[in-house]
Amino acid sequence: MNEFVLFTDSCCDLSAETLLDWNVKCLDLTFRFDDSDREYQDKELGSKVFYQMMRDGKSAKTSAINIAQFKEAFEAEVKNGNDILYLGFSSGLSTTYNSARVAAEELSEAYPERKIIVVDSLCASAGQALLLSLAIEKKSEGATIEETAKFVEDHCLSICHWFTVDDLEYLKRGGRVSPAVAFVGGLLGIKPVLHVDDEGHLISVSKSRGRKAAITALADRYSELALHPESGKVFISQADCMDDAKELERILVERHKIDPAHIVDIGPVIGSHSGPGTLALFFVGKKR
C-alpha cells in the first residue's frame, strides 16, 4: 500500500512546529498591506507585530494559493511515489480549495498511477486544525487514503465554529456588517457572536453587550452543542487576546472538566478580515 502525505494550508493557523510534529505539509496564503507592494507569507510576520500594525491603522489584503503553487508542491510528492490528501481552507471563504482541485486534476493526468485527493474542509482557523487532527488519528489507525478522505468529508460539518470580535470595524470593511451597525455597535459596546455555516460562510447569530458576555456566550454554545462535552477535543484561536482565550478555557474546564484546550494564534491572513481581539471556539458538535 502506498504511503500518503497529508497537506493543508496556513489558514489552519497551526504553528510550524506543530505541523512538523504532526507530519503535515503546509502551503502559505499571503498578504500585503495596502500601502506596500511587499507580499508576506502567512506566518512571515509575527502575529503580535501584525495586530499592532492593524491597531495603528494598517489594513491588509490577502491572496489565495494559486494553481501553479499547488502543482509544484504536489508534484514533488507524487514523483517520490507518494499519494496526497489535501484538507483545504473553506471554499466559502477562499478560492484556495478550487486551485488545489484544478492542480490535482492536471497532475492526475500526468501521473495516473498516483492518487491526489482534495477535500474542502468547509472549516477555517483552528476548526480546520481540529479536523486535520481527526484525520491524523484516522490515518494512524491504518486507514487508507480513501477511507481517511471519506471520514473527513463525513465529519467536516460536525466541526462547530463559534467566534466573537472585539471591533466591528474589521467586519464592516469585509462587508459582514453595515457601517451603521458597526457605528452603533461601537458606541454601545456590542460584541457579535458568529459562526461558520454548512457552506463555510460566516454568519452573525447574536449580539452580546460587552466582551465578558460574549466569552460566556461562546461557552454556552459549547454546553449546548458539543457532542461529547466532557471528553471532546477543544481548540481555541485568538488574535492577540490570550487572556480571553484562557478565560474561555477556564469556563469550559470548570463546567465540563475538559482537557486543556489547544490554543493557537490567528494568523494574518484570517486576522486581516476579523481584526485583533478575535476569539474563536471549535469543537465536534451534534450539528454545526
Side-chain angles (χ1 to χ4, degrees):
M1 181 173 62
N2 292 320
E3 172 67 7
F4 69 93
V5 177
L6 277 167
F7 267 83
T8 191
D9 54 67
S10 60
C11 284
C12 69
D13 283 336
L14 290 169
S15 68
E17 293 78 14
T18 298
L19 289 164
L20 182 63
D21 185 53
W22 289 8
N23 197 25
V24 174
K25 296 186 180 294
C26 181
L27 283 75
D28 271 294
L29 282 80
T30 59
F31 70 95
R32 65 178 178 83
F33 293 105
D34 286 346
D35 60 352
S36 172
D37 290 331
R38 177 177 177 182
E39 191 167 45
Y40 294 85
Q41 290 191 330
D42 200 355
K43 297 296 192 294
E44 192 174 349
L45 194 64
S47 59
K48 277 193 169 293
V49 173
F50 175 78
Y51 289 120
Q52 187 56 55
M53 293 175 75
M54 289 193 79
R55 291 185 176 107
D56 291 340
K58 295 271 192 180
S59 59
K61 292 184 178 178
T62 61
S63 297
I65 303 165
N66 62 41
I67 295 169
Q69 290 169 310
F70 274 116
K71 286 185 71 174
E72 181 181 3
F74 289 171
E75 189 167 28
E77 292 298 329
V78 297
K79 279 184 174 179
N80 286 332
N82 293 321
D83 296 331
I84 293 170
L85 174 58
Y86 167 72
L87 275 65
F89 183 34
S90 171
S91 63
L93 299 171
S94 172
T95 60
T96 294
Y97 159 75
N98 192 56
S99 294
R101 182 186 58 78
V102 173
E105 289 176 356
E106 294 181 1
L107 284 172
S108 292
E109 294 178 4
Y111 301 90
E113 73 282 4
R114 295 273 70 83
K115 298 170 185 174
I116 307 173
I117 302 177
V118 174
V119 177
D120 181 1
S121 73
L122 297 171
C123 295
S125 191
Q128 188 175 336
L130 172 54
L131 186 63
L132 182 63
S133 76
L134 298 176
I136 291 167
E137 288 180 357
K138 192 71 177 176
K139 182 174 185 262
S140 69
E141 293 169 2
T144 65
I145 186 171
E146 293 90 352
E147 290 168 341
T148 306
K150 179 68 163 53
F151 173 85
V152 171
E153 290 169 346
D154 289 346
H155 288 81
C156 63
L157 294 183
S158 298
I159 307 298
C160 294
H161 296 54
W162 289 94
F163 71 102
T164 188
V165 298
D166 196 41
D167 189 339
L168 288 163
E169 171 66 22
Y170 303 102
L171 292 180
K172 183 195 79 175
R173 292 179 189 175
R176 302 294 175 185
V177 299
S178 70
V181 168
F183 177 73
V184 174
L187 287 177
L188 299 178
I190 297 298
K191 309 298 180 184
V193 175
L194 308 96
H195 83 127
V196 175
D197 68 9
D198 286 357
E199 285 73 48
H201 299 106
L202 305 183
I203 303 295
S204 180
V205 175
S206 63
K207 298 177 178 65
S208 299
R209 182 69 67 86
R211 183 71 164 183
K212 184 176 180 180
I215 293 171
T216 301
L218 294 179
D220 291 343
R221 294 296 183 179
Y222 181 86
S223 298
E224 174 190 352
L225 296 172
L227 183 62
H228 302 293
E230 312 300 328
S231 60
K233 288 186 177 184
V234 173
F235 280 57
I236 296 171
S237 60
Q238 55 86 33
D240 200 25
C241 56
M242 182 60 80
D243 288 347
D244 290 341
K246 289 292 188 181
E247 174 62 11
L248 176 57
E249 179 187 46
R250 184 196 66 76
I251 294 171
L252 294 175
V253 169
E254 185 176 275
R255 287 187 187 181
H256 301 289
K257 307 299 187 290
I258 65 165
D259 290 334
H262 193 127
I263 300 177
V264 305
D265 295 336
I266 297 175
V269 166
I270 289 181
S272 295
H273 302 282
S274 59
T278 299
L279 178 66
L281 173 67
F282 308 91
F283 55 91
V284 178
K286 303 166 190 171
K287 61 178 181 178
R288 183 174 275 198

